[in-house]
Amino acid sequence: MDEQKVLSIKGLLDDTPEEYLSHKEKYENSIRKSVLFYKTLHSTEDENMSVDEKTKLNFRNIVTSAIFKDNSPFMLHNSMFIPTIMGQGTDEQREYWMKRAKNMEIIGTYAQTELGHGTFIRGLETQATYDPDTEEFVLHSPVLSSYKWWPGGLAHTANYCIVMARLYIKGKSHGIHPFMVQIRDEETHMPLPGIKLGEIGAKLGFNTVNNGFLGFENHRISRDRMLMKNAQVLKDGTFVAGSNSKLTYGTMVYVRVLIVSNMANMLAKAVTIALRYSAIRRQSQPKPDEPEPQILDYVTQQHKLFIAIASSHAFYMNAMWLWEIYYSVSLQLASGKLDNLPELHALACCLKPLSTIDATAMIEKCRLACGGHGYMLSANLAQTYGLATAAYTYEGENTVLLLQAARSLVKAWVGHVKGRPLKGTMAYLAGDSTVKAWDGSIDGIIQSFKVVAIRKISSVVKILQDYEKSGLSPEDAWNKASVFLTAASEAHGRAVLLSVYKSEMDKRAAVLSPPLRKVLLQLVDLYVTYWALEKVGDMLLYASITDKDVDELQRRYIELLAAIRPNAVGLVDAFDFRDEILNSTLGAYDGRAYERLMEEAMKSPLNAEPVNQTFHKYLKPFMRGKL
Ligand SMILES: CCCCCCCCCC/C=C\C/C=C/C(=O)SCCNC(=O)CCNC(=O)[C@H](O)C(C)(C)COP(=O)(O)OP(=O)(O)OC[C@H]1O[C@@H](n2cnc3c(N)ncnc32)[C@H](O)[C@@H]1OP(=O)(O)O
Ligand SMILES: Cc1cc2nc3c(=O)[nH]c(=O)nc-3n(C[C@H](O)[C@H](O)[C@H](O)COP(=O)(O)OP(=O)(O)OC[C@H]3O[C@@H](n4cnc5c(N)ncnc54)[C@H](O)[C@@H]3O)c2cc1C
């Protein structure tokens, strides 16, 4: 069913703006709409759809659920609960649980993070102790810090949950494994015995996702509730290890890839709002005898916004490219071939951080570009920022992931120096690490970014080796060099983002009409030129750019802004967001921002009466000196 039909469903859109609801009302309203939304979508699903098709439809669920201005309490059900069953369950477990989950007979979440640990998965404390006498696992939260904390939908929505817990058999720890746990009665929705559930409280955003906490008091589950695709516990308690303990972390890689495409979507929404508003907003009078210009004609405004359009395209192209790698590695993993998993992990550890760092910063810049009206919640820019900035932290905090990528880059470089061949997205590290003369072409600039990455990686390896020669342990050397390790990962990520965007666009250019090709390639040029100027220090240090070249780059950048200006509104219209999904007084297609701002203002409960009751209760006595 297309968005048109979905969005026309009565009751799906809010009469009372969510901003004026209480924390509890926001959640209850979001449940009401999520149920309406999914019922509508599921009522149209063709039962003959393959699982893959349905999964894609669920992706659309998640994406279109953005109309709630926040994310749905069902978000984790689709984005992690179902993918974990798919990726970590045996065929039999998949068959049973996927049917129930996809029909929404059960609602699930993914509980890994604890009050005391988020990044350090090996430090998780929730226990799953195997009892061979009863063929059960005993789930227990030994201390407060072991309570699951953060999972979306956990507080009041989900009745099942994938719990990542430390497996103990006969007193021995066998690491972290996934367990399917029913947490609420399917009829009464009451928490089951030995299970403590609750909500973690109000947050910067995600306030309808129902993030919760979960504690176990010796809660028993049957043996078949451990998802046993990658490792097994036999009836007698024998532990059968998987081919690679990190396969348990597979859902995280999947979601990190999903996040890159989601950042493309979030940034596209924000720049659509800000750019459309910039086209209708007129301000100041630089030329006395002319009317106030559109603020979009200020080059500083173009500088704030056009890079966001290009970045959304870049993230989308990189996400589609990364999805292809993900699917291919997933097929290889299914046949026991693991050797490309580290590279996929390293790529996700670069692109998820860079896309979330850039998107968060550019969404905030879109808000700032709208002046006072950008500060209104009715503009839906603050909420979009709140959703995007969460992705800096969840699914692997960005610094930690960049350090993970550095781990792979350092290993690859040390291996290369010893003569081991480099492969895949790291093959360029074997390339020439000096730029003879600055080549201001787009391909030349991208090559310079690769040189910057090579030089940063090789120099941070030298720093590590010098620290270790000085007597530091590898761990202390690593920590001491970690600022430059993350810088090396960022440089690698930049080189990947730029080169993939360019190459993916070049592939598509051949089938585009000449006018469309011209505009889209202008965005590629803008993106590459913008980042060369942003990283001009690295270019000066490693890519032999001169001050004359920089001057040329700056002039080219300004010309690109001017060239894109005539198509700017068309470029955001091409994202094709319906007004209901933008959900913004500033970004509506008809450009009636002022009327919409007033309409929304009048919905404030305070405007229901001309004099608020506090005047007579407090103000008047106060002003008469009688308080
Ligand atoms: C409205 C539209 C919405 C659209 C959808 C958008 C997406 C929706 C997302 C839902 C929103 C919110 C939900 C959020 C959920 C969560 O946050 S779930 C919890 C996520 N938590 C994490 O990601 C924890 C991060 N920590 C880690 O990944 C690991 O602990 C870490 C990488 C830090 C490694 O820790 P260490 O203990 O230091 O190291 P070790 O465990 O020994 O591992 C190092 C070793 O293992 C390899 N490795 C690590 N991780 C992986 C992996 N995932 N895959 C493959 N390999 C992995 C690593 O390369 C090292 O290998 P080496 O050979 O030893 O070098
Ligand atoms: C909106 C939101 C939704 C979430 N949803 C879920 C969910 O559904 N399910 C779930 O399981 N979890 C969820 N999480 C939790 C999320 O996965 C964790 O917050 C995340 O993994 C970071 O862990 P942490 O919070 O413990 O931060 P920490 O790891 O404590 O990070 C704090 C600081 O310490 C630094 N740091 C930590 N380790 C290192 C290191 N080794 N080297 C250098 N610096 C380090 C970090 O860089 C950071 O600056 C969610 C979080 C948010 C914000």
Side-chain angles (χ1 to χ4, degrees):
M1 176 188 285
D2 67 16
E3 278 162 1
Q4 168 75 30
K5 184 120 176 65
V6 171
L7 294 170
S8 65
I9 305 297
K10 176 123 181 60
L12 196 56
L13 304 177
D14 297 316
D15 300 331
T16 308
E18 284 199 352
E19 292 83 30
Y20 301 115
L21 300 178
S22 70
H23 184 65
K24 184 166 176 285
E25 287 165 333
K26 279 178 188 167
Y27 167 70
E28 291 163 349
N29 188 42
S30 195
I31 285 286
R32 177 187 65 79
K33 295 191 295 182
S34 296
V35 166
L36 185 56
F37 184 84
Y38 280 80
K39 264 170 63 178
T40 308
L41 274 174
H42 277 265
S43 63
T44 63
E45 271 192 12
D46 170 355
E47 284 316 310
N48 302 320
M49 260 188 193
S50 72
V51 168
D52 280 353
E53 278 310 305
K54 285 197 170 185
T55 307
K56 280 184 200 146
L57 185 66
N58 277 305
F59 289 168
R60 198 158 62 79
N61 284 358
I62 298 169
V63 175
T64 318
S65 76
I67 60 175
F68 302 112
K69 254 187 190 164
D70 202 329
N71 284 326
S72 164
F74 296 175
M75 180 184 201
L76 266 292
H77 179 79
N78 285 297
S79 61
M80 295 198 80
F81 182 68
I82 285 178
T84 305
I85 297 169
M86 299 270 283
Q88 313 278 334
T90 62
D91 291 347
E92 191 184 353
Q93 289 173 324
R94 281 169 57 149
E95 175 61 31
Y96 177 76
W97 291 108
M98 281 305 290
K99 185 172 174 299
R100 298 203 76 199
K102 295 198 76 56
N103 292 335
M104 303 298 277
E105 289 169 33
I106 60 173
I107 295 177
T109 184
Y110 178 89
Q112 174 173 297
T113 303
E114 295 171 356
L115 201 54
H117 291 93
T119 289
F120 189 50
I121 299 175
R122 288 185 293 141
L124 294 176
E125 298 171 284
T126 299
Q127 299 166 354
T129 306
Y130 186 62
D131 179 350
D133 297 336
T134 62
E135 296 180 19
E136 291 173 318
F137 294 104
V138 181
L139 294 177
H140 187 61
S141 307
V143 289
L144 178 63
S145 59
S146 64
Y147 271 53
K148 292 302 177 186
W149 189 277
W150 269 113
L154 178 64
H156 301 88
T157 313
N159 52 6
Y160 282 80
C161 175
I162 303 285
V163 174
M164 302 298 279
R166 179 173 300 286
L167 171 63
Y168 288 96
I169 303 173
K170 301 187 181 87
K172 182 173 184 295
S173 164
H174 291 276
I176 306 297
H177 296 276
F179 297 83
M180 173 66 79
V181 185
Q182 181 178 355
I183 53 178
R184 288 180 179 270
D185 181 285
E186 288 194 29
E187 284 309 310
T188 65
H189 209 52
M190 281 296 287
L192 294 184
I195 286 182
K196 279 171 264 179
L197 287 168
E199 202 244 349
I200 66 172
K203 303 168 290 280
L204 184 155
F206 265 64
N207 280 300
T208 55
V209 173
N210 196 230
N211 301 91
F213 64 78
L214 159 64
F216 294 106
E217 189 65 43
N218 297 314
H219 178 75
R220 287 178 171 266
I221 58 173
S222 58
R223 185 176 68 90
D224 65 359
R225 291 298 173 90
M226 176 176 159
L227 298 184
M228 295 202 199
K229 178 181 175 184
N230 294 319
Q232 297 83 39
V233 174
L234 307 184
K235 287 182 179 176
D236 65 358
T238 304
F239 176 68
V240 181
S243 52
N244 178 329
S245 63
K246 302 309 174 198
L247 291 174
T248 307
Y249 296 173
T251 305
M252 290 182 280
V253 179
Y254 162 81
V255 178
R256 289 165 190 161
V257 176
L258 187 58
I259 287 168
V260 180
S261 49
N262 188 40
M263 287 305 113
N265 186 51
M266 305 278 272
L267 188 50
K269 269 182 71 176
V271 72
T272 298
I273 293 168
L275 199 125
R276 282 181 175 167
Y277 176 67
S278 301
I280 61 106
R281 177 70 167 183
R282 290 178 177 276
Q283 198 66 205
S284 306
Q285 196 173 33
K287 295 175 185 174
D289 54 352
E290 289 192 12
E292 294 184 74
Q294 294 164 288
I295 58 174
L296 191 53
D297 285 332
Y298 292 118
V299 177
T300 48
Q301 192 79 353
Q302 296 165 14
H303 173 58
K304 293 172 190 173
L305 300 180
F306 293 1
I307 185 58
I309 303 173
S311 298
S312 178
H313 288 199
F315 299 156
Y316 179 79
M317 295 292 175
N318 274 269
M320 294 308 111
W321 169 80
L322 192 53
W323 272 124
E324 291 307 316
I325 296 173
Y326 175 82
Y327 284 127
S328 138
V329 171
S330 299
L331 288 175
Q332 293 164 25
L333 295 178
S335 60
K337 190 170 174 292
L338 304 177
D339 48 16
N340 289 323
L341 177 60
E343 184 185 13
L344 171 63
H345 170 53
L347 271 175
C349 285
C350 266
L351 295 184
K352 181 267 186 185
L354 290 191
S355 62
T356 53
I357 289 166
D358 289 359
T360 301
M362 290 176 190
I363 289 168
E364 173 63 354
K365 208 185 286 184
C366 285
R367 182 186 72 77
L368 294 169
C370 295
H373 300 329
Y375 197 67
M376 297 298 295
L377 289 178
S378 68
N380 198 14
L381 286 166
Q383 298 91 321
T384 305
Y385 172 83
L387 294 180
T389 194
Y392 185 105
T393 305
Y394 65 60
E395 220 52 64
E397 195 276 336
N398 281 352
T399 304
V400 165
L401 294 189
L402 287 172
L403 288 169
Q404 274 291 296
R407 218 172 138 136
S408 302
L409 291 165
V410 165
K411 274 177 140 175
W413 182 260
V414 169
H416 162 62
V417 168
K418 290 176 179 168
R420 276 205 299 273
L422 289 159
K423 59 176 189 169
T425 49
M426 292 188 193
Y428 77 90
L429 296 179
D432 189 347
S433 64
T434 54
V435 178
K436 309 286 179 292
W438 172 257
D439 166 358
S441 70
I442 294 304
D443 287 332
I445 295 173
I446 292 172
Q447 180 52 33
S448 297
F449 271 91
K450 291 178 178 177
V451 168
V452 168
I454 294 170
R455 299 286 293 274
K456 287 195 171 189
I457 293 162
S458 57
S459 64
V460 76
V461 168
K462 177 81 172 55
I463 292 172
L464 282 170
Q465 290 167 343
D466 290 347
Y467 282 148
E468 288 188 39
K469 278 185 199 132
S470 72
L472 280 186
S473 70
E475 294 78 11
D476 287 341
W478 181 268
N479 186 35
K480 203 162 181 172
S482 53
V483 169
F484 300 103
L485 285 164
T486 54
S489 292
E490 194 216 336
H492 172 66
R494 287 277 161 233
V496 171
L497 273 171
L498 288 161
S499 51
V500 169
Y501 180 25
K502 173 71 167 53
S503 61
E504 291 298 304
M505 273 312 299
D506 286 346
K507 277 186 214 164
R508 290 162 172 79
V511 297
L512 300 175
S513 67
L516 182 57
R517 181 186 309 133
K518 181 178 174 201
V519 174
L520 293 182
L521 292 181
Q522 281 170 345
L523 286 174
V524 176
D525 291 3
L526 182 89
Y527 189 75
V528 175
T529 309
Y530 174 93
W531 280 107
L533 291 168
E534 284 291 299
K535 299 292 181 183
V536 70
D538 290 337
M539 296 294 142
L540 286 164
L541 197 55
Y542 301 119
S544 67
I545 193 173
T546 66
D547 53 354
K548 185 173 169 301
D549 299 322
V550 174
D551 185 68
E552 154 59 27
L553 263 187
Q554 288 168 339
R555 293 168 192 271
R556 181 161 79 190
Y557 179 73
I558 293 166
E559 290 316 312
L560 279 166
L561 291 176
I564 291 166
R565 169 66 185 87
N567 294 301
V569 174
L571 282 166
V572 296
D573 286 350
F575 287 128
D576 197 21
F577 286 111
R578 292 180 54 84
D579 285 352
E580 298 89 342
I581 290 189
L582 285 180
N583 216 332
S584 167
T585 45
L586 305 189
Y589 188 76
D590 63 11
R592 294 173 60 251
Y594 297 151
E595 293 83 352
R596 291 170 186 274
L597 281 165
M598 181 54 81
E599 284 160 23
E600 284 304 302
M602 292 318 294
K603 292 177 184 173
S604 165
L606 279 172
N607 287 330
E609 57 205 356
V611 178
N612 183 274
Q613 48 101 13
T614 52
F615 172 73
H616 299 288
K617 199 168 176 183
Y618 301 106
L619 279 179
K620 188 172 179 180
F622 171 67
M623 292 191 292
R624 298 286 188 276
K626 294 193 171 55
L627 262 187

